[in-house]
PDB file of all heavy atoms in Angstrom:
ATOM      1  N   SER C 255    -104.931 -25.627  -0.014  1.00 92.00           N
ATOM      2  CA  SER C 255    -104.868 -26.217  -1.361  1.00 92.00           C
ATOM      3  C   SER C 255    -104.869 -25.163  -2.472  1.00 92.00           C
ATOM      4  O   SER C 255    -104.708 -25.508  -3.647  1.00 92.00           O
ATOM      5  CB  SER C 255    -106.058 -27.166  -1.570  1.00 92.00           C
ATOM      6  OG  SER C 255    -107.274 -26.453  -1.633  1.00 92.00           O
ATOM      7  N   VAL C 256    -105.057 -23.886  -2.106  1.00 91.00           N
ATOM      8  CA  VAL C 256    -105.103 -22.828  -3.122  1.00 91.00           C
ATOM      9  C   VAL C 256    -104.084 -21.738  -2.816  1.00 91.00           C
ATOM     10  O   VAL C 256    -103.665 -21.557  -1.668  1.00 91.00           O
ATOM     11  CB  VAL C 256    -106.524 -22.205  -3.209  1.00 91.00           C
ATOM     12  CG1 VAL C 256    -107.497 -23.189  -3.820  1.00 91.00           C
ATOM     13  CG2 VAL C 256    -107.021 -21.738  -1.854  1.00 91.00           C
ATOM     14  N   LYS C 257    -103.703 -21.021  -3.867  1.00 93.00           N
ATOM     15  CA  LYS C 257    -102.701 -19.957  -3.731  1.00 93.00           C
ATOM     16  C   LYS C 257    -103.329 -18.659  -3.228  1.00 93.00           C
ATOM     17  O   LYS C 257    -102.726 -17.923  -2.447  1.00 93.00           O
ATOM     18  CB  LYS C 257    -102.031 -19.744  -5.087  1.00 93.00           C
ATOM     19  CG  LYS C 257    -100.798 -18.871  -5.063  1.00 93.00           C
ATOM     20  CD  LYS C 257    -100.134 -18.834  -6.433  1.00 93.00           C
ATOM     21  CE  LYS C 257     -98.896 -17.967  -6.415  1.00 93.00           C
ATOM     22  NZ  LYS C 257     -98.263 -17.904  -7.750  1.00 93.00           N
ATOM     23  N   PHE C 258    -104.538 -18.381  -3.699  1.00 92.00           N
ATOM     24  CA  PHE C 258    -105.235 -17.146  -3.315  1.00 92.00           C
ATOM     25  C   PHE C 258    -106.415 -17.477  -2.404  1.00 92.00           C
ATOM     26  O   PHE C 258    -106.987 -18.569  -2.483  1.00 92.00           O
ATOM     27  CB  PHE C 258    -105.716 -16.394  -4.564  1.00 92.00           C
ATOM     28  CG  PHE C 258    -104.631 -16.125  -5.561  1.00 92.00           C
ATOM     29  CD1 PHE C 258    -104.523 -16.874  -6.734  1.00 92.00           C
ATOM     30  CD2 PHE C 258    -103.687 -15.135  -5.327  1.00 92.00           C
ATOM     31  CE1 PHE C 258    -103.512 -16.640  -7.646  1.00 92.00           C
ATOM     32  CE2 PHE C 258    -102.668 -14.887  -6.240  1.00 92.00           C
ATOM     33  CZ  PHE C 258    -102.577 -15.641  -7.399  1.00 92.00           C
ATOM     34  N   GLN C 259    -106.788 -16.510  -1.539  1.00 89.00           N
ATOM     35  CA  GLN C 259    -107.869 -16.726  -0.571  1.00 89.00           C
ATOM     36  C   GLN C 259    -109.005 -15.731  -0.793  1.00 89.00           C
ATOM     37  O   GLN C 259    -108.831 -14.555  -0.491  1.00 89.00           O
ATOM     38  CB  GLN C 259    -107.320 -16.572   0.858  1.00 89.00           C
ATOM     39  CG  GLN C 259    -106.075 -17.365   1.158  1.00 89.00           C
ATOM     40  CD  GLN C 259    -106.303 -18.868   1.175  1.00 89.00           C
ATOM     41  OE1 GLN C 259    -107.395 -19.340   1.488  1.00 89.00           O
ATOM     42  NE2 GLN C 259    -105.275 -19.627   0.829  1.00 89.00           N
ATOM     43  N   PRO C 260    -110.146 -16.071  -1.371  1.00 90.00           N
ATOM     44  CA  PRO C 260    -110.461 -17.403  -1.915  1.00 90.00           C
ATOM     45  C   PRO C 260    -109.979 -17.541  -3.355  1.00 90.00           C
ATOM     46  O   PRO C 260    -109.502 -16.571  -3.948  1.00 90.00           O
ATOM     47  CB  PRO C 260    -111.990 -17.428  -1.845  1.00 90.00           C
ATOM     48  CG  PRO C 260    -112.378 -15.994  -2.116  1.00 90.00           C
ATOM     49  CD  PRO C 260    -111.307 -15.156  -1.461  1.00 90.00           C
ATOM     50  N   GLN C 261    -110.138 -18.737  -3.907  1.00 92.00           N
ATOM     51  CA  GLN C 261    -109.762 -18.988  -5.295  1.00 92.00           C
ATOM     52  C   GLN C 261    -110.853 -19.801  -5.972  1.00 92.00           C
ATOM     53  O   GLN C 261    -111.402 -20.730  -5.382  1.00 92.00           O
ATOM     54  CB  GLN C 261    -108.427 -19.749  -5.342  1.00 92.00           C
ATOM     55  CG  GLN C 261    -107.894 -19.959  -6.758  1.00 92.00           C
ATOM     56  CD  GLN C 261    -106.476 -20.490  -6.754  1.00 92.00           C
ATOM     57  OE1 GLN C 261    -105.650 -20.076  -5.942  1.00 92.00           O
ATOM     58  NE2 GLN C 261    -106.182 -21.424  -7.645  1.00 92.00           N
ATOM     59  N   ARG C 262    -111.150 -19.418  -7.223  1.00 94.00           N
ATOM     60  CA  ARG C 262    -112.139 -20.177  -8.000  1.00 94.00           C
ATOM     61  C   ARG C 262    -111.500 -21.452  -8.507  1.00 94.00           C
ATOM     62  O   ARG C 262    -110.402 -21.428  -9.077  1.00 94.00           O
ATOM     63  CB  ARG C 262    -112.633 -19.355  -9.181  1.00 94.00           C
ATOM     64  CG  ARG C 262    -113.638 -18.289  -8.818  1.00 94.00           C
ATOM     65  CD  ARG C 262    -114.006 -17.423  -9.986  1.00 94.00           C
ATOM     66  NE  ARG C 262    -114.542 -18.171 -11.136  1.00 94.00           N
ATOM     67  CZ  ARG C 262    -115.270 -17.617 -12.103  1.00 94.00           C
ATOM     68  NH1 ARG C 262    -115.565 -16.325 -12.066  1.00 94.00           N
ATOM     69  NH2 ARG C 262    -115.713 -18.345 -13.101  1.00 94.00           N
ATOM     70  N   VAL C 263    -112.184 -22.588  -8.331  1.00 93.00           N
ATOM     71  CA  VAL C 263    -111.653 -23.880  -8.801  1.00 93.00           C
ATOM     72  C   VAL C 263    -112.784 -24.673  -9.453  1.00 93.00           C
ATOM     73  O   VAL C 263    -113.961 -24.409  -9.240  1.00 93.00           O
ATOM     74  CB  VAL C 263    -111.053 -24.700  -7.632  1.00 93.00           C
ATOM     75  CG1 VAL C 263    -109.878 -23.974  -6.989  1.00 93.00           C
ATOM     76  CG2 VAL C 263    -112.107 -25.048  -6.591  1.00 93.00           C
ATOM     77  N   GLY C 264    -112.374 -25.679 -10.219  1.00 92.00           N
ATOM     78  CA  GLY C 264    -113.338 -26.590 -10.849  1.00 92.00           C
ATOM     79  C   GLY C 264    -113.503 -27.869 -10.037  1.00 92.00           C
ATOM     80  O   GLY C 264    -112.935 -28.026  -8.955  1.00 92.00           O
ATOM     81  N   LYS C 265    -114.257 -28.810 -10.601  1.00 91.00           N
ATOM     82  CA  LYS C 265    -114.571 -30.040  -9.864  1.00 91.00           C
ATOM     83  C   LYS C 265    -113.373 -30.968  -9.709  1.00 91.00           C
ATOM     84  O   LYS C 265    -113.371 -31.841  -8.836  1.00 91.00           O
ATOM     85  CB  LYS C 265    -115.717 -30.788 -10.547  1.00 91.00           C
ATOM     86  CG  LYS C 265    -115.391 -31.307 -11.941  1.00 91.00           C
ATOM     87  CD  LYS C 265    -116.572 -32.067 -12.534  1.00 91.00           C
ATOM     88  CE  LYS C 265    -116.205 -32.640 -13.902  1.00 91.00           C
ATOM     89  NZ  LYS C 265    -117.326 -33.414 -14.471  1.00 91.00           N
ATOM     90  N   GLU C 266    -112.314 -30.776 -10.528  1.00 92.00           N
ATOM     91  CA  GLU C 266    -111.146 -31.665 -10.448  1.00 92.00           C
ATOM     92  C   GLU C 266    -110.153 -31.228  -9.374  1.00 92.00           C
ATOM     93  O   GLU C 266    -109.199 -31.951  -9.060  1.00 92.00           O
ATOM     94  CB  GLU C 266    -110.399 -31.720 -11.795  1.00 92.00           C
ATOM     95  CG  GLU C 266    -111.181 -32.328 -12.940  1.00 92.00           C
ATOM     96  CD  GLU C 266    -112.063 -31.308 -13.631  1.00 92.00           C
ATOM     97  OE1 GLU C 266    -111.905 -30.102 -13.347  1.00 92.00           O
ATOM     98  OE2 GLU C 266    -112.910 -31.723 -14.451  1.00 92.00           O
ATOM     99  N   HIS C 267    -110.355 -30.049  -8.783  1.00 93.00           N
ATOM    100  CA  HIS C 267    -109.405 -29.532  -7.790  1.00 93.00           C
ATOM    101  C   HIS C 267    -109.317 -30.441  -6.561  1.00 93.00           C
ATOM    102  O   HIS C 267    -110.334 -30.889  -6.029  1.00 93.00           O
ATOM    103  CB  HIS C 267    -109.831 -28.123  -7.362  1.00 93.00           C
ATOM    104  CG  HIS C 267    -108.953 -27.518  -6.300  1.00 93.00           C
ATOM    105  ND1 HIS C 267    -107.688 -27.041  -6.564  1.00 93.00           N
ATOM    106  CD2 HIS C 267    -109.147 -27.358  -4.961  1.00 93.00           C
ATOM    107  CE1 HIS C 267    -107.155 -26.583  -5.443  1.00 93.00           C
ATOM    108  NE2 HIS C 267    -108.017 -26.767  -4.456  1.00 93.00           N
ATOM    109  N   THR C 268    -108.078 -30.720  -6.109  1.00 92.00           N
ATOM    110  CA  THR C 268    -107.858 -31.563  -4.932  1.00 92.00           C
ATOM    111  C   THR C 268    -107.807 -30.702  -3.675  1.00 92.00           C
ATOM    112  O   THR C 268    -107.040 -29.739  -3.603  1.00 92.00           O
ATOM    113  CB  THR C 268    -106.548 -32.367  -5.065  1.00 92.00           C
ATOM    114  OG1 THR C 268    -106.630 -33.184  -6.240  1.00 92.00           O
ATOM    115  CG2 THR C 268    -106.341 -33.269  -3.855  1.00 92.00           C
ATOM    116  N   LEU C 269    -108.615 -31.051  -2.698  1.00 93.00           N
ATOM    117  CA  LEU C 269    -108.733 -30.285  -1.454  1.00 93.00           C
ATOM    118  C   LEU C 269    -107.778 -30.807  -0.384  1.00 93.00           C
ATOM    119  O   LEU C 269    -107.359 -31.971  -0.428  1.00 93.00           O
ATOM    120  CB  LEU C 269    -110.171 -30.358  -0.926  1.00 93.00           C
ATOM    121  CG  LEU C 269    -111.250 -29.806  -1.875  1.00 93.00           C
ATOM    122  CD1 LEU C 269    -112.631 -30.274  -1.452  1.00 93.00           C
ATOM    123  CD2 LEU C 269    -111.195 -28.289  -1.930  1.00 93.00           C
ATOM    124  N   GLU C 270    -107.434 -29.939   0.572  1.00 92.00           N
ATOM    125  CA  GLU C 270    -106.579 -30.317   1.701  1.00 92.00           C
ATOM    126  C   GLU C 270    -107.398 -30.247   2.997  1.00 92.00           C
ATOM    127  O   GLU C 270    -108.477 -29.663   3.033  1.00 92.00           O
ATOM    128  CB  GLU C 270    -105.369 -29.376   1.799  1.00 92.00           C
ATOM    129  CG  GLU C 270    -104.409 -29.457   0.619  1.00 92.00           C
ATOM    130  CD  GLU C 270    -103.638 -30.757   0.556  1.00 92.00           C
ATOM    131  OE1 GLU C 270    -103.552 -31.452   1.586  1.00 92.00           O
ATOM    132  OE2 GLU C 270    -103.124 -31.088  -0.537  1.00 92.00           O
ATOM    133  N   ASP C 271    -106.834 -30.836   4.044  1.00 91.00           N
ATOM    134  CA  ASP C 271    -107.525 -30.881   5.334  1.00 91.00           C
ATOM    135  C   ASP C 271    -107.859 -29.474   5.829  1.00 91.00           C
ATOM    136  O   ASP C 271    -107.017 -28.577   5.787  1.00 91.00           O
ATOM    137  CB  ASP C 271    -106.649 -31.616   6.363  1.00 91.00           C
ATOM    138  CG  ASP C 271    -107.415 -31.928   7.646  1.00 91.00           C
ATOM    139  OD1 ASP C 271    -108.626 -32.175   7.565  1.00 91.00           O
ATOM    140  OD2 ASP C 271    -106.785 -31.921   8.724  1.00 91.00           O
ATOM    141  N   GLU C 272    -109.089 -29.281   6.270  1.00 91.00           N
ATOM    142  CA  GLU C 272    -109.621 -28.049   6.848  1.00 91.00           C
ATOM    143  C   GLU C 272    -109.743 -26.910   5.842  1.00 91.00           C
ATOM    144  O   GLU C 272    -109.758 -25.743   6.220  1.00 91.00           O
ATOM    145  CB  GLU C 272    -108.795 -27.604   8.069  1.00 91.00           C
ATOM    146  CG  GLU C 272    -108.877 -28.595   9.231  1.00 91.00           C
ATOM    147  CD  GLU C 272    -108.399 -28.030  10.545  1.00 91.00           C
ATOM    148  OE1 GLU C 272    -107.173 -27.952  10.742  1.00 91.00           O
ATOM    149  OE2 GLU C 272    -109.239 -27.668  11.373  1.00 91.00           O
ATOM    150  N   ASP C 273    -109.858 -27.233   4.565  1.00 94.00           N
ATOM    151  CA  ASP C 273    -110.228 -26.232   3.561  1.00 94.00           C
ATOM    152  C   ASP C 273    -111.682 -25.814   3.781  1.00 94.00           C
ATOM    153  O   ASP C 273    -112.489 -26.576   4.318  1.00 94.00           O
ATOM    154  CB  ASP C 273    -110.092 -26.816   2.142  1.00 94.00           C
ATOM    155  CG  ASP C 273    -108.662 -26.695   1.623  1.00 94.00           C
ATOM    156  OD1 ASP C 273    -107.793 -26.208   2.357  1.00 94.00           O
ATOM    157  OD2 ASP C 273    -108.426 -27.132   0.465  1.00 94.00           O
ATOM    158  N   ILE C 274    -111.999 -24.609   3.334  1.00 93.00           N
ATOM    159  CA  ILE C 274    -113.382 -24.112   3.379  1.00 93.00           C
ATOM    160  C   ILE C 274    -113.864 -23.969   1.924  1.00 93.00           C
ATOM    161  O   ILE C 274    -113.166 -23.398   1.085  1.00 93.00           O
ATOM    162  CB  ILE C 274    -113.450 -22.749   4.096  1.00 93.00           C
ATOM    163  CG1 ILE C 274    -112.974 -22.901   5.549  1.00 93.00           C
ATOM    164  CG2 ILE C 274    -114.858 -22.174   4.052  1.00 93.00           C
ATOM    165  CD1 ILE C 274    -112.714 -21.578   6.270  1.00 93.00           C
ATOM    166  N   VAL C 275    -115.063 -24.507   1.664  1.00 94.00           N
ATOM    167  CA  VAL C 275    -115.570 -24.527   0.281  1.00 94.00           C
ATOM    168  C   VAL C 275    -116.959 -23.896   0.217  1.00 94.00           C
ATOM    169  O   VAL C 275    -117.829 -24.183   1.051  1.00 94.00           O
ATOM    170  CB  VAL C 275    -115.642 -25.980  -0.252  1.00 94.00           C
ATOM    171  CG1 VAL C 275    -116.236 -26.000  -1.651  1.00 94.00           C
ATOM    172  CG2 VAL C 275    -114.267 -26.627  -0.270  1.00 94.00           C
TER     173      VAL C 275
END
Side-chain angles (χ1 to χ4, degrees):
S255 69
V256 290
K257 191 175 180 181
F258 306 104
Q259 310 292 331
Q261 185 170 321
R262 283 175 57 160
V263 298
K265 65 179 183 178
E266 295 86 11
H267 178 74
T268 301
L269 300 164
E270 295 290 341
D271 191 33
E272 295 195 282
D273 275 2
I274 298 168
V275 177

